[in-house]
Every structure is written in structure tokens, then in C-alpha cells.
Amino acid sequence: MSKPNLSRRVAEAAGIALANRKYVTFVDVVTGLRWLHSRHVDTWRQGRAATLAELAAVDDDRLLTAAALLREWAEGRGLRPMEASYVSGGRDRRELRFTTGDHPQEAFRVHWVSPELSEARVRRLAERQSKAPDLVAVAPLEAWTCASCGDTGPYLIMEDDRPHCLTCADMDHLVFLPSGDAALSRRAKQESGLSAVVVQYNRRRKVYQRKGLLVEERALTLAEERCLADEEARLRRRERDRERRAEQDVEYLTRMAAEIRSLFPGCPAERAEEIAAHAALRGSGRVGRTAAAKALDANAITLAVVASIRHLDTDYDRLLMAGVPRAEARDRIRDAIEARLADFRRTT
């Protein structure tokens, strides 16, 4: 990839992150470039990789170039630099490294903040970034052995890039609280002097998913008492939150459908609404739930339209049912998709 092309792609990824959060980080850019998946970032933050570079699809020099291009883009837009700390989620709490060798790490830690962000929000952002991340305990899918005692257990904690059981990590007095009750989990964590987030790798989705918390038993008891005391108030608040999210979804779907019509004026209004509703379904994981789509990025919107054409206007699904490999099926329908996109792009 040429440097001008990389510069353009860095700018696109950074612009999407900035539009969504009013600040942008190096990690936002490399995930936006698809050099890293979020699961790789999770692995690195948990302390299960020595550097971020070893998980990336490019080498150290390419990462350094991207960081330099991000700085150039950010300074050109008057963004304010704010250096953040990156600390391992393991018990050693070591400072995380982005690349190997003697490369300076400061360039990767800078968060570029919009001048539109209020001073109060900047302070809160700085406070949040300065906090050490949650300790992470992994519920392994396969047999494993503690590096200290040679025993095993239901959870492992990483220390010095090696797995340790809860006993050797001095955490075997904690009890497991499964996910599902946000208020109980939040309050148990607040009450607990020591806690850890329990995650487990999902092979199908290829991500670490949160399974619950390890907390002190006393803290769990206190949290349960607090939840019982205000259960009715929390139910009323939950209903208000549900109504607010529904209103937000309607507004977002309206904006997405309008953007589809802007990019594809030949697409009927009803079809644009159907595409937006399908792509942006909450919890679906589809392209409409991505940060790029929420920023109404043209590429993300086009992907949503292409997905709709693929399933509704071509033989793609029939080919898959007939046993045609996915890559071959997509190749067969490519011309049909391009023709339909051309129809949608025509003004009426």
C-alpha cells in the first residue's frame, strides 16, 4: 500500500472514531484499518501477548508509519494530545508495549482530543485512562497447568506471561458472580476490595466474552441487600431506558435510510428503510451497528446495501444451499450486484 493511500485510510479510520467519541487513539486506527481485530486487542490488554505488534497483520515499521500519519492528521485538525497509560490486565500490571525492540512507545499512547470536548469531559477521560484496567481471569476451554504449582482450576490469571491458578494468585477466596444482573455486578464490584472480570474465548465469534465476576463473598452479600432495597426504582428506570433506546434507534434508522437514498437515489424509499432496519438491528452485530455506519460512513452504508442486494436480488442463498463454496458463490453473483448497484445509483 502506498503512503498516500495509507494516509487516506488512516484519516478515514480516525475521522470515524473522532465523530463517535470526540477523541481518537492509535488502537482505533489500527482496528479501523483491519490490521488488528478487537479480539487481538483484548488478548494484548489481558497481558497474554508481549506486544500488540505480534498480533497485527503488519510489521513494526508499518505501525510506526500509521502512528506518524495519525499525528500529522490530528495536528492538522487542531486536536489536543493527551498521553494515556496502557497497563496489563494481569496481576503484574506491567506497562503494555505496542512494538518490539527499542521503538519509542509514546507515539502510540497519545489520545487525540477534539477541542469541542469540554474541560470536564477531558478531565474525566484523563482519570479513566489513568486507572489500571480490571484484573482478568480466563475460564479456559482446554486443559491447562499452573506455572507455579503444576495444578489446574476453573480459572487462570496471567502473571509474567504465564498462567497461574487462583490459589497461587492469592485469589481463591473469591466467589463467581455470573453476568446477567448489571446492578448486582456493579455493586458487588464496588463493595469488593479485590475483583476480576471472568472471560472465556468464543471459538465461533473469535472473541473473549465476559462471563461474570470474581468478587469477595462479603461484597456479594452487601450488593444483594442493596439491590433488594431499591428493586422497584430500578425497574422503573429500566423501562425509561428501554423507551429512550427505542427512540434513539428510530432516529438512527431515519438518518441511515436518508443516507442510503442520498448515495443511491434510485433505491426506493421503502427498500432503503428495510435495509436500514435490517442492518442496524440492535444486538445483531451487523454492519449497521459498527462505529463506521453510525458515523454514516459511505463505505459502511454501501456494504449494507450490497448485503441486501446479495440476499434479495441474486441467487446467492440458493447457491449456498446447493453446496457452492461461499467465495465461489460471491464470485458468481458479483456482476449481478454491480448491475443492481448501478440501478440504485441512477437518479429518477
Side-chain angles (χ1 to χ4, degrees):
M1 188 189 304
S2 65
K3 189 171 181 179
N5 189 33
L6 178 57
S7 178
R8 176 184 59 79
R9 291 188 61 202
V10 167
E12 289 175 354
I16 289 170
L18 186 66
N20 279 286
R21 296 187 305 183
K22 301 301 182 183
Y23 71 93
V24 58
T25 72
F26 173 75
V27 172
D28 293 330
V29 169
V30 291
T31 52
L33 291 172
R34 300 183 186 276
W35 290 353
L36 284 162
H37 193 277
S38 59
R39 66 177 179 272
H40 298 135
V41 178
D42 290 341
T43 298
W44 173 65
R45 285 201 181 267
Q46 291 165 14
R48 296 168 64 83
T51 68
L52 191 62
E54 70 183 55
L55 304 173
V58 296
D59 58 20
D60 285 8
D61 290 339
R62 208 61 171 158
L63 295 177
L64 286 164
T65 300
L69 290 172
L70 172 59
R71 173 178 288 275
E72 181 181 319
W73 176 87
E75 290 178 342
R77 281 154 184 75
L79 304 187
R80 294 180 291 174
M82 184 185 75
E83 186 169 342
S85 60
Y86 283 82
V87 182
S88 164
R91 282 292 295 272
D92 52 9
R93 297 301 201 187
R94 73 173 186 275
E95 187 175 274
L96 293 172
R97 290 188 60 82
F98 290 79
T99 57
T100 56
D102 297 326
H103 297 131
Q105 302 296 295
E106 290 77 11
F108 304 109
R109 298 193 188 105
V110 175
H111 291 194
W112 296 96
V113 182
S114 169
E116 298 176 8
L117 210 60
S118 68
E119 289 299 327
R121 286 192 61 189
V122 171
R123 284 195 301 271
R124 287 197 297 270
L125 176 61
E127 290 171 359
R128 187 165 66 246
Q129 292 301 325
S130 65
K131 290 182 180 178
D134 291 326
L135 285 173
V136 176
V138 179
L141 298 173
E142 299 175 352
W144 68 281
T145 302
C146 175
S148 294
C149 67
D151 202 350
T152 187
Y155 312 109
L156 64 86
I157 300 284
M158 294 299 293
E159 290 185 11
D160 300 322
D161 296 329
R162 298 187 301 167
H164 294 74
C165 66
L166 294 188
T167 299
C168 293
D170 294 327
M171 298 176 67
D172 56 349
H173 63 294
L174 303 181
V175 295
F176 178 64
L177 170 62
S179 298
D181 188 327
L184 180 61
S185 296
R186 182 177 64 254
R187 289 170 172 176
K189 184 178 177 183
Q190 290 172 348
E191 298 286 356
S192 190
L194 178 64
S195 65
V197 175
V198 176
V199 299
Q200 188 173 62
Y201 189 67
N202 184 315
R203 287 196 178 103
R204 184 178 62 83
R205 300 184 62 187
K206 297 181 180 180
V207 294
Y208 279 95
Q209 293 183 314
R210 182 172 178 145
K211 308 300 289 185
L213 290 172
L214 292 173
V215 295
E216 296 168 347
E217 190 167 6
R218 174 196 59 83
L220 179 55
T221 300
L222 291 173
E224 289 171 337
E225 292 173 354
R226 289 174 59 188
C227 286
L228 286 172
D230 65 356
E231 183 176 7
E232 185 177 345
R234 287 187 295 108
L235 286 173
R236 291 197 300 270
R237 184 166 62 247
R238 192 176 302 135
E239 179 62 21
R240 290 196 301 271
D241 289 343
R242 186 192 63 77
E243 293 173 355
R244 183 169 61 252
R245 285 195 299 270
E247 292 172 357
Q248 291 170 345
D249 278 354
V250 169
E251 179 186 354
Y252 173 43
L253 294 181
T254 301
R255 290 190 295 113
M256 179 182 281
E259 186 63 19
I260 291 172
R261 291 277 291 157
S262 175
L263 293 172
F264 301 95
C267 179
E270 297 81 3
R271 180 69 180 272
E273 292 171 1
E274 290 174 4
I275 293 172
H278 179 79
L281 180 64
R282 186 180 292 271
S284 66
R286 296 172 186 147
V287 66
R289 303 308 305 178
T290 63
K294 291 178 181 178
L296 300 182
D297 174 70
N299 290 333
I301 298 298
T302 300
L303 287 175
V305 174
V306 167
S308 174
I309 294 172
R310 181 185 299 123
H311 294 290
L312 298 182
D313 300 317
T314 75
D315 293 332
Y316 181 70
D317 290 350
R318 183 182 61 79
L319 291 172
L320 294 183
M321 286 297 293
V324 177
R326 188 166 62 91
E328 181 181 340
R330 289 199 173 201
D331 188 57
R332 289 190 192 182
I333 66 170
R334 184 172 292 114
D335 290 343
I337 287 179
E338 291 300 328
R340 191 63 168 146
L341 283 174
D343 290 340
F344 280 175
R345 288 191 177 103
R346 293 192 184 100
T347 56
T348 57

